[in-house]
């Protein structure tokens, strides 16, 4: 899928992973200039926790493994009763790619 948001071109691709039945999502962001304050929301739920094995557990129902973060650290932010897992994008660059695995 292709879309535009705030002058940022977003390519979004989801593919099944035949190795383990998970899905891999790849997002590519392109802008005319770097955008130091932009975040990509990876997951949202009532609870998100980072496990010892590097997986993020969302609502106790599914897991997220960050495969490519563009060199940025994921952040868990809270807003009221919800939490969200974010990755900074377009930091020090006008292009960024993030990739993660969704595991049930």
């Amino acid at each position: 899928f292709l879309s535009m948001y705030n002058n940022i071109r977003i390519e979004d691709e989801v593919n099944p992973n035949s190795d383990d039945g998970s899905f891999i999502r790849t997002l590519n962001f392109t802008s005319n200039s770097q955008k130091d304050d932009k975040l990509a929301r990876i997951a949202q739920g009532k609870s998100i926790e980072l496990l010892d094995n590097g997986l993020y557990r969302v609502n106790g129902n599914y897991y997220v493994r960050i495969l490519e973060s563009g060199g940025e650290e994921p952040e868990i932010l809270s807003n009221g009763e919800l939490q969200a897992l974010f990755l900074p994008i377009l930091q020090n660059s006008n292009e960024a790619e993030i990739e993660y695995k969704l595991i049930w």
Side-chain angles (χ1 to χ4, degrees):
F1 300 101
L2 292 175
S3 60
M4 289 287 290
Y5 179 76
N6 285 345
N7 295 319
I8 299 171
R9 182 175 187 239
I10 304 166
E11 293 179 50
D12 185 349
E13 184 177 338
V14 178
N15 290 300
N17 183 0
S18 59
D19 293 339
D20 60 8
S22 64
F23 288 91
I24 295 178
R25 184 177 189 195
T26 305
L27 293 162
N28 286 289
F29 302 91
T30 306
S31 176
N32 291 334
S33 61
Q34 87 183 45
K35 310 275 187 184
D36 291 333
D37 63 343
K38 297 299 178 196
L39 300 171
R41 184 174 60 201
I42 305 303
Q44 180 173 298
K46 290 188 177 186
S47 68
I48 298 176
E49 59 185 309
L50 175 59
L51 304 178
D52 290 338
N53 61 4
L55 291 173
Y56 291 87
R57 182 170 38 212
V58 182
N59 289 337
N61 296 327
Y62 72 95
Y63 300 87
V64 173
R65 178 178 301 282
I66 307 294
L67 302 173
E68 173 58 56
S69 68
E72 302 296 329
E73 288 296 317
E75 303 176 52
I76 298 173
L77 302 176
S78 297
N79 184 4
E81 294 184 17
L82 292 177
Q83 290 187 311
L85 176 62
F86 288 98
L87 267 172
I89 58 167
L90 302 171
Q91 308 291 302
N92 304 312
S93 177
N94 63 345
E95 294 182 354
E97 177 178 287
I98 59 175
E99 187 173 67
Y100 58 93
K101 183 186 285 194
L102 297 166
I103 306 164
W104 278 265

